[in-house]
Amino acid sequence: MSRKPVHLAVYDTFADWETGHTTAYLARAGYEIRTVGPGRETVTTIGGVRIQPDLALDEVRPEGSSLLILTGADLWDSSDDLAPFARKARAFLDAGVPVAAICGATAGLAREGLLDDRDHTSAVSFYLAATGYSGAERYVDADAVTDGRLVTAGPTEPVAFAREVFRLLGVYEGEVLDAWYRLFHDSDAEAYAVLEKAAR
C-alpha cells in the first residue's frame, strides 16, 4: 500500500534531538520523510547540522501528507518567523490531517489558538501561559498527549512523542508499541525480544 509522505518542518535553530526516533521508525515503516523549510534555502540546526529542505512551506498541502511534524527551535520564542508553520498546522488539522508538535512548536500552536480547545502538553504549563493563550485549563501534565489528530510533547520527551505518533498512524500498536517505548525510554532489554518476534 502506498503511503503519503510525512512532512518534517526544518528551520534555523531546529532542535536536533527531538524527532530522531520519530522519523527513523516512520521511515522503517515505509513512510517517505520530506523536509519542509520556510523556503528551499539551507537551514542550520541548533547542533550546527545543515539541512537542504525538500520543499518550501507554501508547496505543502494537507491532502498530500500523512503528518506534519513541528519541532522546537529558538525561533519560536524569539521572533514571529515560524508563525507560518503554525498557520500551516491549522490548515492540516482543519483538513483532518495529523500534526505533531514538540517543545517550542507547542508555543507556536498556542499563539495560533490551536490549543485553546484541545488537550495538550508542553515543557511546563507556565511556558505556554506566557503566550497569552486561552487553553490553560486543557493543559495536561504528561510526557505526551494526543487529542484527536494533534500530538504534543515537551522537549525532554522525544521517545514519548514518537510513541504517540506511532499510535496515531497505526505504525505500532498494543504490546509492540509498549515494548518499543520500554526499550528506548527505559532501556528495558526484555522489550527487545517482543520487537524481534513482531518483526519476523
Side-chain angles (χ1 to χ4, degrees), residues 57-110:
L57 184 62
D58 62 8
E59 297 177 90
V60 178
R61 301 287 180 270
E63 60 270 19
S65 183
S66 291
L67 171 73
L68 175 64
I69 302 173
L70 301 176
T71 66
D74 292 344
L75 286 178
W76 283 112
D77 298 318
S78 63
S79 73
D80 293 327
D81 290 357
L82 301 185
F85 286 90
R87 290 194 291 273
K88 184 66 73 171
R90 177 180 291 282
F92 268 62
L93 292 170
D94 287 349
V97 180
V99 172
I102 186 169
C103 188
T106 62
L109 297 190

Side-chain angles (χ1 to χ4, degrees), residues 5-95:
V6 166
H7 290 94
L8 172 67
V10 296
Y11 20 69
D12 286 334
T13 72
F14 169 102
D16 307 63
W17 66 92
E18 293 177 345
T19 62
H21 292 88
T22 304
T23 53
Y25 281 85
L26 287 176
R28 285 187 165 192
Y31 287 93
E32 177 189 7
I33 308 299
R34 305 209 71 199
T35 53
V36 181
R40 290 198 178 213
E41 300 78 21
T42 300
V43 300
T44 304
T45 72
I46 288 177
V49 177
R50 293 166 57 82
I51 300 173
Q52 180 75 52
D54 297 312
L55 300 165
L57 184 62
D58 62 8
E59 297 177 90
V60 178
R61 301 287 180 270
E63 60 270 19
S65 183
S66 291
L67 171 73
L68 175 64
I69 302 173
L70 301 176
T71 66
D74 292 344
L75 286 178
W76 283 112
D77 298 318
S78 63
S79 73
D80 293 327
D81 290 357
L82 301 185
F85 286 90
R87 290 194 291 273
K88 184 66 73 171
R90 177 180 291 282
F92 268 62
L93 292 170
D94 287 349

Side-chain angles (χ1 to χ4, degrees), residues 178-190:
D178 178 65
W180 185 91
Y181 179 76
R182 286 188 291 112
L183 179 63
F184 287 98
H185 188 267
D186 304 324
S187 299
D188 184 348
E190 292 180 6

Side-chain angles (χ1 to χ4, degrees), residues 1 10 13-14 20 35 42 64 67 70 101-102 104 119 127 129 138 153-154 157 160 168-169 171 173 177:
M1 181 180 78
V10 296
T13 72
F14 169 102
T35 53
T42 300
L67 171 73
L70 301 176
I102 186 169
D119 289 345
Y127 170 65
R138 300 295 295 266
E157 298 295 344
L168 186 59
L169 295 184
V171 172
E173 298 174 332
L177 181 63

Side-chain angles (χ1 to χ4, degrees), residues 115-128:
L115 304 184
D116 290 349
D117 301 310
R118 294 177 172 92
D119 289 345
H120 60 276
T121 194
S122 184
V124 286
S125 60
F126 57 79
Y127 170 65
L128 290 187

